[in-house]
């Protein structure tokens, strides 16, 4: 049996410690929003609070790809994001999530740090009525706002419309936050004389509502310009009307800062948010977020470095927003800090912020990294393939789900003494998961 993972704290603990408990009890949903794809016949696309691009772009003509994507969005991602929520109710959707699957994840944690699972079967009728029943007597904490949340009898901790507004890039650049010089530009003209075709390189273009780096174009070459123009043309066809155009910042550091805002008057309110982690983001060449790593031994130095920027940002967030949030900060060659994204919601990096005790203090591993991996066979096979490192505690599987025929995906966190060891463990994981073997 793998060692128990005792987290430093949980989201539920933070709510209790910072004055939010009187607003509860709470129930949590960690589901993504898709405005151009029905995730299930009984859970159709989001029309009230749609985003400009899905959190995972897809080929609309490829039915196999869409099925795989639905399994990831309804299966893996909610499980991964719930790791660290603590003793609150969490909403999942069957048949993509099954009780025994959740139990495996929960058994890793002490009982007092486990969330309580509420599963609603999407294959049955009256899904939204059942959601209302499950949420009755509780305030909802959500990943992304959705229209059905406006119908809940006891409402949400954060107003869905406000959350929709403040997570948009036009709010980011107009609220007085320290962002690179930016402007909102209409997509009416994408022709050869438009600003998109003629602006001097480099520059950045971002859709107003998108996450994980999707909808971001770092235009550093003419080839990248062509990619951006083709992408914006497709977005325009889907209804996108405006984007943000920004000066390009060449980052010396690309940091993701995770913080908590307590109730008004709490010691960690908007004037002094509690910074819980500063991680270094892992991005593709085109700016897509694929994970990140954290150095627990450098947290004091990093948190002190970004504190003024974080406080300046949270002071400009509406006082009605409370709870977990994050900002992405680029540090340039001159040491200047630029906020390039505001995540006024809880984030995918939340669990890694709670694991310094597990990795650093208990095992002498000051660095930790996380990413998603695919593997063949049965879902449970990963626990056999990585058994030795799971048992040692150097590898933690926070979630695993079947996403296709004999195809699975797992979210994994692993620790290392230095960057080289992180890379070696990552290679080991990839090698093990690529191995051929019987279905388990």
């Amino acid at each position: 049996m793998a060692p128990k993972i005792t987290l430093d704290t949980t989201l539920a603990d933070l709510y209790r410690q910072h004055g939010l408990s009187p607003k509860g009890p709470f129930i949590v949903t960690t589901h993504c929003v898709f405005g151009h794809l029905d995730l299930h016949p009984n859970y159709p696309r989001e029309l009230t609070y749609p985003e400009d691009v899905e959190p995972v772009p897809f080929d609309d003509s490829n039915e196999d790809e869409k099925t795989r994507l639905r399994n990831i969005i309804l299966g893996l991602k909610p499980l991964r994001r719930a790791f660290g929520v603590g003793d609150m109710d969490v909403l999942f959707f069957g048949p993509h999530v099954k009780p025994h699957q959740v139990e495996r994840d929960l058994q890793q944690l002490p009982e007092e740090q486990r969330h309580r699972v509420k599963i609603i079967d999407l294959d049955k009728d009256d899904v939204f009525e059942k959601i209302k029943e499950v949420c009755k007597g509780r305030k909802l904490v959500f990943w992304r706002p959705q229209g059905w949340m406006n119908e809940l009898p006891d409402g949400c901790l954060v107003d869905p419309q406000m959350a929709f507004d403040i997570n948009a890039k036009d709010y980011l650049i107009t609220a007085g936050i320290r962002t690179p010089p930016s402007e909102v530009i209409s997509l009416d003209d994408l022709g050869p004389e438009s600003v998109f075709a003629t602006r001097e390189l480099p520059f950045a273009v971002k859709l107003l509502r998108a996450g994980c780096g999707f909808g971001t174009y770092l235009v550093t070459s003419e080839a990248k310009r062509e990619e951006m123009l083709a992408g914006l043309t497709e977005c325009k066809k889907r209804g996108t009307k405006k984007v943000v155009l920004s000066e390009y910042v060449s980052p010396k550091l690309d940091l993701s800062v995770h913080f908590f805002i307590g109730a008004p008057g709490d010691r960690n309110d908007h004037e002094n948010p509690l910074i819980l982690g500063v991680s270094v983001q892992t991005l593709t060449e085109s700016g897509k977020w694929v994970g990140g790593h954290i150095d627990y031994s450098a947290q004091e130095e990093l948190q002190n470095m970004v504190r003024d920027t974080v406080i300046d940002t949270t002071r400009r967030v509406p006082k009605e927003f409370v709870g977990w949030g994050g900002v992405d900060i680029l540090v340039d060659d001159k040491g200047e800090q630029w906020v390039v994204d505001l995540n006024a919601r809880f984030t995918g990096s939340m669990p890694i912020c709670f694991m310094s005790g597990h990795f650093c203090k208990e095992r002498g591993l000051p660095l930790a990294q996380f990413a998603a991996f695919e593997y063949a066979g049965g879902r449970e096979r990963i626990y056999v393939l990585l058994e030795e490192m799971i048992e040692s505690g150097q590898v933690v599987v926070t979630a695993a789900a079947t996403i296709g025929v004999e195809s699975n995906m797992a979210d994994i966190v692993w620790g290392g003494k230095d960057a080289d060891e992180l890379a070696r463990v990552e290679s080991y994981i990839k090698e093990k998961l690529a191995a051929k073997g019987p279905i388990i």
Side-chain angles (χ1 to χ4, degrees):
M1 175 65 68
K4 289 286 192 296
I5 301 160
T6 301
L7 303 174
D8 305 335
T9 188
T10 66
L11 191 66
D13 291 335
L14 292 169
Y15 277 30
R16 282 190 289 268
Q17 294 162 7
H18 296 281
L20 297 183
S21 290
K23 297 178 180 291
F26 302 102
I27 186 168
V28 178
T29 172
T30 64
H31 294 91
C32 296
V33 168
F34 276 68
H36 306 91
L37 174 69
D38 295 335
L39 291 176
H40 188 279
N42 290 328
Y43 197 73
R45 68 195 64 194
E46 176 58 33
L47 299 177
T48 306
Y49 303 116
E51 299 188 352
D52 292 322
V53 67
E54 272 64 39
V56 183
F58 62 94
D59 180 357
D60 197 41
S61 65
N62 189 326
E63 291 302 321
D64 289 340
E65 181 181 335
K66 289 194 287 187
T67 297
R68 176 181 178 276
L69 179 59
R70 291 183 178 104
N71 289 332
I72 294 172
I73 298 303
L74 294 173
L76 178 74
K77 286 186 177 289
L79 291 170
R80 173 175 76 86
R81 293 168 181 158
F83 198 89
V85 165
D87 62 336
M88 292 195 284
D89 295 342
V90 179
L91 180 65
F92 297 100
F93 292 132
H96 298 83
V97 172
K98 298 176 174 61
H100 73 275
Q101 180 182 0
V102 185
E103 190 65 22
R104 179 101 196 208
D105 300 334
L106 291 176
Q107 287 298 321
Q108 302 178 90
L109 297 167
E111 189 170 350
E112 65 273 14
Q113 292 189 337
R114 300 174 188 172
H115 49 273
R116 296 181 293 275
V117 178
K118 305 293 181 182
I119 297 178
I120 292 176
D121 191 345
L122 292 181
D123 286 343
K124 297 182 179 179
D125 295 332
D126 300 323
V127 165
F128 292 106
E129 288 303 314
K130 288 172 182 171
I131 290 176
K132 289 180 185 178
E133 290 176 16
V134 170
C135 293
K136 189 174 182 180
R138 297 166 176 81
K139 284 204 178 296
L140 184 73
V141 177
F142 53 79
W143 176 270
R144 302 280 194 186
Q146 299 175 55
W148 57 263
M149 297 172 182
N150 293 320
E151 308 300 322
L152 294 178
D154 294 281
C156 302
L157 177 63
V158 174
D159 178 70
Q161 183 65 56
M162 182 184 71
F164 186 63
D165 293 340
I166 66 177
N167 280 286
K169 299 297 188 295
D170 50 351
Y171 179 87
L172 176 71
I173 68 169
T174 59
I177 295 169
R178 183 173 171 73
T179 64
S182 308
E183 58 184 323
V184 176
I185 301 289
S186 169
L187 292 186
D188 287 345
D189 183 7
L190 288 172
E193 302 302 318
S194 70
V195 64
F196 304 103
T198 59
R199 182 176 172 116
E200 183 179 348
L201 302 174
F203 60 96
V205 175
K206 297 184 178 183
L207 301 184
L208 298 189
R209 292 182 172 88
C212 304
F214 294 107
T216 294
Y217 299 93
L218 303 179
V219 189
T220 55
S221 67
E222 289 304 327
K224 295 291 185 184
R225 189 194 300 272
E226 292 303 315
E227 289 180 19
M228 175 268 297
L229 288 169
L232 293 187
T233 298
E234 288 302 310
C235 288
K236 184 177 178 180
K237 290 178 183 177
R238 298 172 75 180
T240 301
K241 295 181 174 17
K242 298 176 182 179
V243 296
V244 166
L245 190 150
S246 302
E247 286 190 11
Y248 178 80
V249 176
S250 180
K252 182 178 179 181
L253 282 173
D254 189 337
L255 303 175
S256 184
V257 185
H258 315 282
F259 56 81
F260 190 88
I261 299 175
D266 182 75
R267 65 186 183 279
N268 292 119
D269 60 11
H270 289 74
E271 297 295 318
N272 183 37
L274 176 64
I275 300 177
L276 286 143
V278 182
S279 59
V280 178
Q281 302 202 91
T282 303
L283 306 174
T284 65
E285 184 181 350
S286 58
K288 306 299 184 292
W289 182 86
V290 292
H293 76 269
I294 190 168
D295 184 345
Y296 298 117
S297 67
Q299 285 304 292
E300 183 176 1
E301 177 185 356
L302 288 170
Q303 291 181 24
N304 287 337
M305 182 179 75
V306 300
R307 190 174 307 280
D308 288 346
T309 299
V310 173
I311 291 173
D312 180 70
T313 301
T314 56
R315 283 174 174 169
R316 302 173 193 279
V317 172
K319 300 304 180 188
E320 294 80 7
F321 175 81
V322 290
W324 190 273
V327 288
D328 295 341
I329 298 175
L330 299 184
V331 183
D332 65 21
D333 290 336
K334 298 178 181 178
E336 296 287 336
Q337 297 180 23
W338 304 95
V339 177
V340 294
D341 205 2
L342 169 64
N343 296 309
R345 55 177 173 79
F346 64 94
T347 57
S349 301
M350 183 177 73
I352 204 171
C353 297
F354 297 159
M355 300 177 82
S356 65
H358 176 80
F359 285 117
C360 191
K361 296 187 178 90
E362 295 177 18
R363 291 168 177 81
L365 304 173
L367 271 65
Q369 187 171 342
F370 63 98
F373 298 85
E374 290 190 48
Y375 60 100
R379 188 185 71 89
E380 296 289 315
R381 186 165 177 256
I382 190 170
Y383 302 103
V384 176
L385 294 172
L386 300 179
E387 182 177 14
E388 183 178 345
M389 297 203 83
I390 291 173
E391 289 297 325
S392 73
Q394 188 167 8
V395 164
V396 177
V397 179
T398 58
T402 299
I403 61 172
V405 179
E406 295 184 23
S407 178
N408 313 277
M409 184 175 282
D411 202 77
I412 301 175
V413 186
W414 65 97
K417 293 180 179 177
D418 51 35
D420 288 341
E421 185 172 14
L422 280 184
R424 286 196 300 272
V425 175
E426 181 176 12
S427 296
Y428 174 87
I429 293 170
K430 289 178 178 177
E431 179 183 335
K432 283 290 188 180
L433 296 187
K436 303 288 185 182
I439 297 174
I440 297 175

